[in-house]
Amino acid sequence: MSKNLKYISSLLAVDCLIFGFENQMLKVLLIKRKLEPYQNEWSLMGGFLKREESADESASRVLKELTGLDGVFMEQIKTFSKYDRDPTERVISIVYSSLIDVRKFETLLNQEYEARWFKITEVPDLLFDHAEMVIAGRDHLKKKAALQPILFELLAEKFTLPQIQQLYEEVFEANFDKRNFSRKLLASKLLKKLDEKDKSGSKKGAFYYQLDKQTNHYNFNILLNLAYSQL
Amino acid sequence: MSKNLKYISSLLAVDCLIFGFENQMLKVLLIKRKLEPYQNEWSLMGGFLKREESADESASRVLKELTGLDGVFMEQIKTFSKYDRDPTERVISIVYSSLIDVRKFETLLNQEYEARWFKITEVPDLLFDHAEMVIAGRDHLKKKAALQPILFELLAEKFTLPQIQQLYEEVFEANFDKRNFSRKLLASKLLKKLDEKDKSGSKKGAFYYQLDKQTNHYNFNILLNLAYSQL
DNA sequence: AAAGTAAGTGTTAATTTGACAATTAAAAAA
DNA sequence: TTTTTTAATTGTCAAATTAACACTTACTTT
């Protein structure tokens, strides 16, 4: 294929780092390989690029294949290219990170795969260099979340202040004072308070909020400082 | 090579976005292609991965080939993979960004290439998707520089406050008040004032500073706020 | 000696921060 | 009905940080 034998060609793969937030915990979705070689090893969900497919398209396809989800937030993180990362043959992998609302697909999980959510701190040994991918993705998430209000992608349409704070604490591996946290978050004008309450977490119940799509001119740097010391 | 014809293999390339700061302006180093096809088109400096080479290694090699420089700050930015991005054959390109001190290699430029510095705002039409690469790299530089004191890589060992301010203004496309800027920057404890002055820019002369390698416990988020509104 | 030029420097009012604990709403238990 | 329990909600204040603003200084050139 290549005209020049000095240079090599390679298979192109994508691997998807799928983040979710469930039971107050940041989790990643992993699959167990059913075929040899490397049967029963846990890994990120991945796949090869098809002819005429870009990596973005391929990653979306792979994500949909596993979760049934479309139009999910997804971003390219990093490309892994060590020549022997896959001992079988040369494959480079372009890693994507996606943030999904776990409730949206719980029952849609493709039954061809054995998939499971793992707490981010309890990821098992993974295939090839996939452990590095998890680290890179997590690191990227921190930085992204410090600069942009992206973590809402992990929550349901409606969420409570305690929930979103818990999520930030998980992502940044830090604890925040709830008075200061809510003050800053609400100052962003990003959230709209609803009348309804979530009673599942406490007797008093916590008011639901949702993203206020009206306000585009928000101030998000307020969260940034809060998060900075954890970057 | 691939066992499965549904999937394709591809040549692997790296392209290097080389930033420099010269005459108070942020610039990128581009090369003019000497061979057909696409003769005389400007592009990023690039090359193909060799057997057993990772993209990181390849990018370092390519950078050295052009500039003679070793051990330069370099970071993977993004991978470009549209199937027809190179009409000749399928090639994906892993783009790297490097920050160099232009003074370090002015005379070392490899004569095989016709290379030229372009002001970042005056980049000519580029080969393939290289214009997108420049945009991605610039955006990445902004975000990186807002979180870390990385722009010093673009300056000489010794630099003046007006110089570093000019650099920040170029990168963030903004103007900063010099009193506030220097106060914040110096509060980071990152700089050491030298006795010597740079007389080239003014009659009075401006004191040189250099990075103080003693202090590791700096406070850099001070610059972050300053830059935030430009991200 | 005077003029010109860019570097360097300080103050203040307004805002934001971080540290801190009492009150409230609702359900469950007594 | 009353009391208890649990988690959500809310406010204050001193300290730190910010943004806005203009004059003085050092040196060169005329």
Side-chain angles (χ1 to χ4, degrees), chain A residues 26-61:
Chain A
L26 184 66
K27 296 185 175 178
V28 284
L29 189 62
L30 301 174
I31 63 171
K32 190 192 258 183
R33 215 175 143 105
K34 292 199 167 171
L35 305 171
E36 286 294 351
Y38 307 108
Q39 196 177 10
N40 291 330
E41 290 226 36
W42 289 98
S43 74
L44 302 188
M45 176 73 183
F48 291 102
L49 265 76
K50 292 184 174 174
R51 193 176 299 285
E52 306 206 354
E53 202 180 39
S54 70
D56 285 9
E57 288 158 356
S58 181
S60 296
R61 174 174 59 77

Side-chain angles (χ1 to χ4, degrees), chain A residues 53 55 76 79 81 90 224, chain B residues 10 53 55 76 79 81 90 224:
Chain A
E53 202 180 39
Q76 195 191 112
T79 296
S81 62
R90 180 130 196 183
L224 186 145
Chain B
S10 162
E53 202 180 38
Q76 194 191 112
T79 296
S81 61
R90 179 127 195 187
L224 184 147

Side-chain angles (χ1 to χ4, degrees), chain A residues 176-214:
Chain A
F176 303 124
D177 180 276
K178 61 184 172 178
R179 288 160 291 191
N180 295 337
F181 183 87
S182 68
R183 174 157 42 92
K184 285 183 161 198
L185 187 56
L186 294 173
S188 74
K189 310 270 191 186
L190 214 58
L191 300 186
K192 197 168 67 181
K193 188 178 188 173
L194 305 182
D195 289 332
E196 201 184 347
K197 272 185 167 183
D198 167 33
K199 296 278 181 62
S200 67
S202 74
K203 300 171 179 175
K204 181 176 180 179
F207 279 104
Y208 279 118
Y209 287 78
Q210 63 181 185
L211 274 180
D212 186 352
K213 280 140 193 165
Q214 302 306 99

Side-chain angles (χ1 to χ4, degrees), chain A residues 1-3 5-12 48-55 76 78-79 81-83 88-90 92 94 143 147 220-221 224-225 228 231, chain B residues 1-3 5-12 48-55 76 78-79 81-83 88-90 92 94 143 147 220-221 224-225 228 231:
Chain A
M1 172 165 252
S2 160
K3 299 167 207 147
L5 288 179
K6 232 174 106 188
Y7 305 117
I8 47 93
S9 60
S10 162
L11 276 181
L12 305 178
F48 291 102
L49 265 76
K50 292 184 174 174
R51 193 176 299 285
E52 306 206 354
E53 202 180 39
S54 70
Q76 195 191 112
K78 193 179 169 186
T79 296
S81 62
K82 282 218 182 75
Y83 80 99
T88 323
E89 69 183 306
R90 180 130 196 183
I92 71 152
I94 305 165
K143 292 191 169 134
L147 297 173
F220 195 69
N221 55 342
L224 186 145
N225 281 326
Y228 185 80
L231 285 183
Chain B
M1 170 165 255
S2 159
K3 299 167 210 149
L5 288 179
K6 234 174 105 187
Y7 304 117
I8 47 92
S9 61
S10 162
L11 277 180
L12 304 178
F48 292 100
L49 266 75
K50 292 185 175 173
R51 193 175 299 281
E52 307 207 352
E53 202 180 38
S54 69
Q76 194 191 112
K78 193 179 170 186
T79 296
S81 61
K82 283 221 181 72
Y83 79 99
T88 323
E89 71 182 306
R90 179 127 195 187
I92 71 153
I94 305 166
K143 293 193 168 133
L147 297 173
F220 195 68
N221 54 342
L224 184 147
N225 282 326
Y228 185 80
L231 285 184

Side-chain angles (χ1 to χ4, degrees), chain A residues 95-148:
Chain A
V95 177
Y96 282 78
S97 167
S98 56
L99 306 182
I100 72 175
D101 171 6
V102 295
R103 284 150 292 272
K104 283 212 180 122
F105 86 114
E106 274 173 324
T107 55
L108 296 176
L109 268 175
N110 192 323
Q111 296 304 319
E112 277 181 57
Y113 304 99
E114 183 178 342
R116 223 183 90 190
W117 287 105
F118 286 86
K119 195 159 159 21
I120 187 74
T121 55
E122 293 169 3
V123 170
D125 283 343
L126 297 179
L127 186 73
F128 304 158
D129 48 6
H130 288 204
E132 272 183 77
M133 293 176 180
V134 172
I135 291 169
R138 193 176 191 196
D139 193 58
H140 184 266
L141 182 60
K142 262 192 203 185
K143 292 191 169 134
K144 179 85 178 180
L147 297 173
Q148 286 177 285

